[in-house]
Amino acid sequence: MKREIVKYGAKVLTEKTAPVTTFDEALAQLVADMFETMYDAPGVGLAAPQVGVSKRLFVMDCSKAHDRQFVFINPEILLTEGRQTGDEGCLSFPGIYFEVERAARVVVRAQNVRGEWFEGDFLDLEARCVLHEYDHLEGNLFIDKASPLRREMIRRKIQKLKREGKW
Ligand code: ZN
């Protein structure tokens, strides 16, 4: 079932999330719903706070064919390396894109939907996505990485959209 995506301004997006402790049917349903919501948007990553659930998990699929699905539950970043710059967006900031610098590689440890731990090594777009989504779990948003001038421009754009009832 598709869920509603929470937009910037909602408190849940800036709160630190709680660890997942129960690996049950409800969790599996949440993960399935998050994939459905992400593909529908469309996007390549979605964190639980973005559907209003303040828990430590996110989903990702950066492939065109929708055949590289990853679920990261209680993730820990083990290593970051290198640098990349590129335009980044966020499903909680519809229509807003700007250049963000990220590590080019990330090694992450996380649990899957059954609670089993795995380790993943990601590069380029997938590394960018993992780092972006991980930030959501800490209550950090990509707008924090914008320059003060850019941040102000984005805030004004959002204010305008809010006045027009489009946010
Ligand atoms: Zn995001």
Side-chain angles (χ1 to χ4, degrees):
M1 186 191 71
K2 217 180 89 183
R3 303 207 184 189
E4 197 188 328
I5 297 178
V6 172
K7 289 196 189 78
Y8 176 63
K11 196 163 166 276
V12 67
L13 290 177
T14 50
E15 289 170 342
K16 199 176 150 96
T17 53
V20 172
T21 51
T22 312
F23 293 81
D24 58 4
E25 196 50 47
L27 178 70
Q29 188 60 55
L30 172 64
V31 167
D33 289 353
M34 284 171 64
F35 273 113
E36 191 180 336
T37 306
M38 179 185 82
Y39 289 136
D40 180 73
V44 296
L46 187 69
Q50 294 182 278
V51 291
V53 178
S54 194
K55 286 191 181 161
R56 292 188 77 74
L57 80 135
F58 64 86
V59 298
M60 170 176 93
D61 186 348
C62 295
S63 74
K64 286 199 170 66
H66 293 181
D67 59 1
R68 269 183 72 78
Q69 290 192 350
F70 292 95
V71 183
F72 300 84
I73 301 175
N74 299 324
E76 298 164 16
I77 305 285
L78 302 180
L79 177 145
T80 58
E81 198 177 68
R83 278 176 200 288
Q84 59 171 320
T85 52
D87 274 352
E88 202 167 299
C90 177
L91 293 178
S92 295
F93 290 79
I96 290 168
Y97 300 87
F98 60 93
E99 200 169 78
V100 178
E101 189 177 291
R102 299 273 185 192
R105 179 188 171 207
V106 60
V107 180
V108 56
R109 179 179 181 264
Q111 283 167 285
N112 66 18
V113 77
R114 292 179 299 278
E116 299 152 352
W117 288 93
F118 68 95
E119 222 178 276
D121 192 336
F122 300 96
L123 299 170
D124 307 320
L125 179 60
E126 287 185 334
R128 171 179 296 284
C129 187
V130 165
L131 292 165
H132 176 112
E133 302 310 330
Y134 183 85
D135 278 352
H136 274 297
L137 307 185
E138 298 294 315
N140 297 328
L141 299 169
F142 81 146
I143 192 174
D144 304 332
K145 296 192 175 292
S147 67
L149 182 65
R150 168 83 63 181
R151 210 174 306 150
E152 193 47 42
M153 284 167 59
I154 294 168
R155 285 221 179 90
R156 276 190 211 150
K157 187 174 171 180
I158 293 170
Q159 285 311 319
K160 185 171 172 282
L161 288 168
K162 273 186 180 162
R163 279 197 303 274
E164 294 167 353
K166 293 176 188 161
W167 190 271

